[in-house]
Amino acid sequence: MATTYDIARRVEEADSARSARRTKGAQLVGELAQERTAVVQRLADIDQQIGDAIVDYSDVISVDELAAFTETAPADLTQILNARKPNRGRRKRRTTSSPRSTAEQTDSVAVPETGTP
């Protein structure tokens, strides 16, 4: 009959092998998930660049022409174009003073006049 020490050692060995396999599986899934996230971000960046190019050159070439020349489905280009985030321009600084009135610019408070001297 096995002693309590032998039983504990056997359970630990069995759990150790299972734990090592679980660790390896979790590490692999984690690495692949990180790689997938990077690829998805890269594809989003490429789609943004394609959409920007379509907009930039829309004055000289249509989506249908681009599709024909690049052998890309027009629906794909249209989808990329519609999903594109518009570029935000930098804010321009005001060159004129603010449109506040003269009364708003002064710090004085007007005292109401009374009819008595």
Side-chain angles (χ1 to χ4, degrees), residues 55-107:
V55 168
D56 290 346
Y57 294 98
S58 65
D59 61 328
V60 293
I61 192 166
S62 70
V63 170
D64 290 333
E65 289 176 308
L66 284 169
F69 292 143
T70 62
E71 296 181 354
T72 304
D76 290 347
L77 294 178
T78 302
Q79 180 183 8
I80 290 170
L81 182 61
N82 291 337
R84 170 183 165 274
K85 294 179 185 175
N87 288 335
R88 294 183 138 192
R90 298 183 82 185
R91 287 186 171 209
K92 294 181 181 178
R93 292 182 180 249
R94 284 189 171 166
T95 55
T96 61
S97 63
S98 68
R100 295 184 348 178
S101 68
T102 315
E104 290 176 328
Q105 293 176 1
T106 61
D107 292 331

Side-chain angles (χ1 to χ4, degrees), residues 2 4 11 16 23 25 37 41 50 53 64 71 75 78-79 83 89 94 96 112:
T4 56
V11 169
S16 173
T23 299
T37 299
Q41 181 58 52
I50 291 170
D64 290 333
E71 296 181 354
T78 302
Q79 180 183 8
R94 284 189 171 166
T96 61

Side-chain angles (χ1 to χ4, degrees), residues 7-58:
I7 294 170
R9 185 179 49 78
R10 290 176 188 163
V11 169
E12 187 177 315
E13 287 174 2
D15 287 350
S16 173
R18 183 173 186 263
S19 180
R21 185 161 167 74
R22 287 168 42 104
T23 299
K24 187 175 180 178
Q27 288 173 333
L28 177 60
V29 170
E31 289 170 4
L32 291 172
Q34 287 177 346
E35 184 177 346
R36 181 186 183 281
T37 299
V39 169
V40 167
Q41 181 58 52
R42 179 66 182 128
L43 287 174
D45 293 343
I46 291 170
D47 283 353
Q48 180 69 32
Q49 291 173 359
I50 291 170
D52 291 347
I54 292 171
V55 168
D56 290 346
Y57 294 98
S58 65

